[in-house]
Amino acid sequence: MRLELKNLYDDFRDPDTIKALAKLIYNEAKGLQKPVNIMEVCGGHTHTIMKYGLKQLLPESIRFIHGPGCPVCIMPKERIDHATILARQPDVILVTLGDMIKVPGSRGSLQQARSEGADVRFVYSPLDALKIAKENPDKTVIFFAIGFETTTPMTAALIDRAEKLGVKNLLYHINHVTVPEVMRELIDSRDEHIDSYNNRIDAFIGPSHVSVIAGAKIYKEFPKRYGRPVVVSGFEPVDVMEGVWMLVRQFVQNRCALEIQYRRSVTMEGNLTAQKQIEKIFEKRGLFKWRGLGNIPHSALKLREAYAHLDAERVYADILPVEEIEDHKLCICGDILRGMAEPTECQVFGTACTPSKPLGSCMVSSEGACAAYYKYGDLLK
Amino acid sequence: MKKTITLAQGNGGAENHALIKEVFWRHFGNEILDRGEDAAILETLQRPAFTTDSFTVTPLFFPGGDIGKLSVCGTCNDLAMMGGKPRYLSLSVVIEEGLEMRSLEKIVRSVKKELALNGAIIVSGDTKVVPKGSVDGLFITTSGIGERQCEGIGINEIRQGDAIVVSRDIGRHGAAIFAAREGMELQSALKSDCASLWPHVASLLDAGIMPHALRDATRGGLAAVLNEWADANNLCIEIEEEEIPVSDEVRGICELLGFEPAFLANEGTFVMALDPADVPLVLEILEAFPGGEMAMRIGEVKGDYPGKVVLNSPWGTRRFLDWPTGELLPRIC
């Protein structure tokens, strides 16, 4: 049989399987002592839950909390300002991935900069930046690198390839962030807000694509140290439903473990070659500011000293501001990213803040919780 | 004539005249155009319909069509969607200096071929040549006048209980353009659905079918058409996700890039709101056209969520199918 894309997802969207899993969850959930709040860390999962209406299939005792795992949502205005300032430099081409060009900083978005004449391009793969650099030898191409563990190896591969080819006009502005540190932050910082939102994270659904690279091992501490079970799940509806079922079973059986639902690609160890490549080029940053969440220690990467000459932040240090910028007063994206508020609790949701005119980052990204609520409507029961 | 278009060919002088005569008039010649007057004098039409559209597409030639075919289909289809038989078109081209003459000829031949399918003629035109970099190859604007063959087709005729039918599988044009533009090396037979729809509409009318509304699902795709209809009438359109016809190739591209087929453009696919009793005959008639075997009844007009489009999943959940917003951008991860 010829392997086609269709074969790869058809079974994971099979209506009978989804319905059967919903029944299993319903039956299992009868044994729960109290309701369970499950945080899906990744925006991709939020998107799946909303797009396929999975919330409607679950009993009231199971509740999803949307997490901070969207690379666009968590990008602070300061970093977007860096991007727009760099894009406006003479003879600079700024290259980035998808949705990033829509996010507003304090000086507008990359889309706006582009409409004013800046050369901003989005690519499907970071390696396309290399092609752009080669085709424009008289320009400086700056790759504005974003994303979690999933996209980091591609940036590492780009840097490695460009260095081997001796490409001199390609610089990097690195904004790669890591998942475990922000999960830790969410649990540690929870108490100060708990009274106002009466919320808590009981368990996590971990994104499979992060663990394809970094392994499931990165979540070991959560069941052990924090008493929160984690199931690493895929993004198809059947994957998410099975992940939820696995978590509910843990609660009913009074277990607290790290489990892998997405066994077809995720191992405990992950992709060791990719990890080695990342290790060669990147090191942890001391602090990185997350939009709405503030500074989180060791939660992002930067280029190692050996690659410092390629770091756009250093090369353009004179023109890149370092002051912190406050988020919009009415925007509660921070609380939404912490899992402490639902998008519909925001007073500007769907009014002053919509996907075509977003105030906050959760409305900008197609994977943001607000955008998902707005787009798919959480009104249908 | 030179192998590529030069600025001199847009000067309004001898070179310009030669270009018009040797390329455009040679292919489009007809009694009205041949008079070479400033404006075309047309016969009086009973129920005229008038429309205009501009066409910019990269690449100019794509699997299943080119900008020439597109510029005729787009305008004629707009007329057809009002039950109008396309009659007269104007064609205005803005050409980038340096465009290969061979490409222009190919586009013009393509226009001619598509006109014939619609039974329409070019009666007026304009040619401009602009410096390199001002436009992306070639832009075309076509305006069209058609003659309505019936009354009573229009967005305000949609009523509760109407069935919603699509004429074939959706998203082909958008997916084909994405694949061609991004140089995706896909081993597939994916082609744009680019086609003239007047023959379809004429067959329906001939069979005595009177649709309440017709709309070709171009930019914004199926989702935009349904939202426009729901919004204009403050009715709810309820669609069964399982019934929406999508080819495997289009689904594959959507999976890779994170798009939904309902948001992708079509150039030869239309949506109908009609009496449910007419659906079997409509599907039978559409079967005779390319892709028409995929025509499907996908839902109906209801009143549950006024102004909204609701999508029912095969596993019993419901969600809104919203308007497309912003640029179509691939997701990050």
Side-chain angles (χ1 to χ4, degrees):
Chain A
M1 187 185 78
R2 214 177 112 212
L3 187 65
E4 288 181 358
L5 202 57
K6 192 173 177 293
N7 308 122
L8 297 178
Y9 61 73
D10 254 14
D11 289 346
F12 302 103
R13 288 178 200 171
D14 176 54
D16 291 339
T17 315
I18 295 171
K19 283 187 213 162
L21 280 164
K23 209 169 163 189
L24 281 175
I25 295 169
Y26 249 98
N27 287 336
E28 197 78 57
K30 286 178 193 158
L32 285 172
Q33 305 290 321
K34 58 187 177 76
V36 175
N37 297 318
I38 301 171
M39 172 175 273
E40 79 279 1
V41 182
C42 175
H45 279 140
T46 308
H47 193 77
T48 300
I49 289 163
M50 299 303 293
K51 181 176 174 186
Y52 297 102
L54 301 185
K55 277 169 89 170
Q56 298 162 43
L57 296 174
L58 299 177
E60 279 180 11
S61 55
I62 296 166
R63 185 176 162 203
F64 286 117
I65 304 175
H66 313 304
C70 162
V72 172
C73 297
I74 58 89
M75 197 61 67
K77 283 185 181 169
E78 293 86 338
R79 309 291 293 181
I80 294 156
D81 284 356
H82 279 196
T84 53
I85 291 167
L86 290 172
R88 288 190 167 102
Q89 295 310 302
D91 298 321
V92 161
I93 302 173
L94 191 108
V95 178
T96 191
L97 300 174
D99 273 1
M100 198 62 229
I101 71 166
K102 293 191 287 185
V103 193
S106 73
R107 304 157 192 240
S109 63
L110 283 169
Q111 205 166 26
Q112 259 168 286
R114 188 178 63 179
S115 70
E116 288 157 20
D119 196 344
V120 178
R121 304 183 193 182
F122 73 84
V123 290
Y124 295 91
S125 154
L127 285 175
D128 292 342
L130 187 59
K131 198 173 150 220
I132 295 172
K134 280 191 200 161
E135 285 168 0
N136 297 276
D138 52 340
K139 300 269 173 88
T140 301
V141 175
I142 302 175
F143 181 63
F144 189 74
I146 59 163
F148 285 84
E149 285 88 340
T150 330
T151 52
T152 314
M154 295 193 285
T155 307
L158 166 68
I159 297 171
D160 199 43
R161 179 89 62 94
E163 282 297 274
K164 280 181 184 148
L165 292 172
V167 175
K168 297 285 178 218
N169 61 331
L170 186 53
L171 299 179
Y172 310 90
H173 190 282
I174 303 296
N175 302 277
H176 285 299
V177 284
T178 51
V179 173
E181 287 73 17
V182 73
M183 286 169 65
R184 216 177 287 146
E185 165 76 12
L186 292 177
I187 298 174
D188 289 340
S189 69
R190 174 179 62 85
D191 290 343
E192 58 188 274
H193 294 275
I194 195 161
D195 290 331
S196 55
Y197 288 103
N198 194 24
N199 206 350
R200 71 187 303 264
I201 303 160
D202 296 313
F204 290 102
I205 287 188
S208 55
H209 55 6
V210 163
S211 287
V212 167
I213 305 294
K217 64 184 177 206
I218 59 170
Y219 302 118
K220 269 183 181 166
E221 62 185 300
F222 295 97
K224 253 189 198 161
R225 198 174 135 212
Y226 292 103
R228 262 61 167 208
V230 178
V231 172
V232 178
S233 295
F235 289 95
E236 294 297 332
V238 165
D239 293 324
V240 175
M241 292 296 279
E242 192 186 7
V244 170
W245 180 45
M246 289 167 74
L247 279 172
V248 174
R249 262 193 320 189
Q250 285 203 32
F251 280 97
V252 173
Q253 293 168 2
N254 210 15
R255 291 188 294 117
C256 181
L258 166 61
E259 293 180 324
I260 303 171
Q261 177 277 332
Y262 197 79
R263 285 175 296 270
R264 51 195 193 271
S265 295
V266 170
T267 60
M268 228 12 125
E269 285 312 306
N271 183 333
L272 296 174
T273 312
Q275 290 169 28
K276 220 166 129 188
Q277 174 96 298
I278 293 167
E279 184 65 25
K280 180 182 153 195
I281 287 167
F282 298 111
E283 60 184 344
K284 288 272 185 183
R285 255 175 220 269
L287 274 182
F288 187 83
K289 187 181 169 189
W290 293 53
R291 194 166 189 158
L293 302 180
N295 287 302
I296 304 178
H298 312 299
S299 64
L301 303 176
K302 64 175 183 178
L303 289 168
R304 285 191 180 280
E305 207 52 40
Y307 299 93
H309 60 289
L310 303 173
D311 190 342
E313 274 186 84
R314 291 204 191 196
V315 174
Y316 290 92
D318 293 347
I319 56 162
L320 298 178
V322 288
E323 314 78 67
E324 294 209 0
I325 306 167
E326 289 296 312
D327 283 327
H328 194 286
K329 278 193 189 112
L330 292 175
C331 172
I332 62 162
C333 278
D335 289 336
I336 293 166
L337 292 171
R338 280 175 195 276
M340 291 173 178
E342 294 239 334
T344 46
E345 289 175 54
C346 178
Q347 46 177 311
V348 289
F349 174 82
T351 52
C353 184
T354 62
S356 47
K357 225 179 121 198
L359 267 187
S361 51
C362 298
M363 190 61 96
V364 177
S365 163
S366 56
E367 268 139 50
C370 293
Y373 271 66
Y374 187 92
K375 189 172 174 194
Y376 301 124
D378 190 36
L379 313 165
L380 300 162
K381 296 290 174 201
Chain B
M1 207 172 287
K2 288 199 168 136
K3 277 188 175 171
T4 54
I5 296 285
T6 63
L7 276 176
Q9 285 169 304
N11 65 358
E15 294 93 336
N16 190 209
H17 185 67
L19 174 71
I20 293 168
K21 212 172 145 189
E22 287 168 38
V23 178
F24 295 100
W25 285 6
R26 183 160 64 88
H27 289 287
F28 302 149
N30 59 65
E31 200 191 322
I32 302 172
L33 189 69
D34 291 350
R35 288 182 203 140
E37 300 284 3
D38 276 353
I41 307 299
L42 308 175
E43 65 171 285
T44 309
L45 299 181
Q46 286 272 320
R47 286 176 292 216
F50 179 55
T51 187
T52 189
D53 213 338
S54 295
F55 299 85
T56 67
V57 63
T58 308
L60 295 176
F61 300 90
F62 48 84
D66 58 69
I67 191 168
K69 180 179 182 185
L70 198 61
S71 69
V72 176
C73 291
T75 287
C76 290
N77 289 350
D78 284 348
L79 296 170
M81 293 301 105
M82 291 304 286
K85 177 178 165 33
R87 295 287 304 272
Y88 306 115
L89 261 67
S90 74
L91 182 116
S92 178
V93 291
V94 179
I95 311 171
E96 184 185 24
E97 171 192 22
L99 182 81
E100 283 192 14
M101 189 58 78
R102 209 173 44 175
S103 299
L104 183 64
E105 284 266 5
K106 207 170 153 192
I107 290 164
V108 166
R109 275 198 299 273
S110 183
V111 167
K112 184 183 177 184
K113 194 173 157 198
E114 209 59 29
L115 282 168
L117 279 174
N118 284 279
I121 52 172
I122 300 281
V123 291
S124 177
D126 185 45
T127 310
K128 295 278 188 300
V129 180
V130 293
K132 203 162 180 58
S134 305
V135 300
D136 197 0
L138 175 88
F139 291 172
I140 300 182
T141 299
T142 47
S143 298
I145 299 177
E147 190 161 29
R148 273 193 112 184
Q149 306 297 300
C150 59
E151 296 286 349
I153 297 178
I155 197 165
N156 295 321
E157 302 296 327
I158 299 169
R159 57 198 78 144
Q160 205 161 320
D162 273 3
I164 302 290
V165 168
V166 285
S167 66
R168 60 168 300 168
D169 56 314
I170 61 164
R172 281 184 168 266
H173 183 71
I177 292 294
F178 253 104
R181 193 180 296 168
E182 303 307 331
M184 290 168 69
E185 287 167 21
L186 295 171
Q187 286 187 328
S188 82
L190 179 63
K191 276 186 185 171
S192 165
D193 58 335
C194 187
S196 290
L197 296 173
W198 172 246
H200 303 61
V201 176
S203 300
L204 293 176
L205 296 178
D206 286 349
I209 301 285
M210 178 50 70
H212 299 155
L214 298 169
R215 180 67 58 94
D216 54 339
T218 53
R219 256 187 323 165
L222 175 69
V225 172
L226 297 177
N227 273 287
E228 269 171 42
W229 284 1
D231 186 54
N233 296 294
N234 211 29
L235 287 164
C236 174
I237 297 182
E238 204 161 304
I239 299 298
E240 303 302 319
E241 196 171 357
E242 218 172 3
E243 305 299 325
I244 302 174
V246 184
S247 71
D248 287 347
E249 292 95 335
V250 170
R251 211 177 279 286
I253 285 177
C254 285
E255 283 304 314
L256 284 173
L257 300 177
F259 297 147
E260 280 193 66
F263 294 108
L264 292 182
N266 308 274
E267 288 296 344
T269 304
F270 64 108
V271 192
M272 272 168 278
L274 71 167
D275 191 319
D278 290 337
V279 172
L281 180 57
V282 165
L283 295 180
E284 199 186 309
I285 292 169
L286 290 174
E287 243 185 67
F289 296 94
E293 68 284 355
M294 300 272 278
M296 244 354 219
R297 176 197 168 125
I298 58 168
E300 68 178 289
V301 182
K302 288 190 169 179
D304 300 3
Y305 294 89
K308 291 281 188 185
V309 180
V310 172
L311 196 68
N312 295 325
S313 79
W315 44 87
T317 62
R318 312 173 82 196
R319 65 157 164 113
F320 291 140
L321 178 67
D322 197 20
W323 289 90
T325 53
E327 268 179 80
L328 270 183
L329 294 169
R331 69 173 166 226
I332 289 162
C333 55

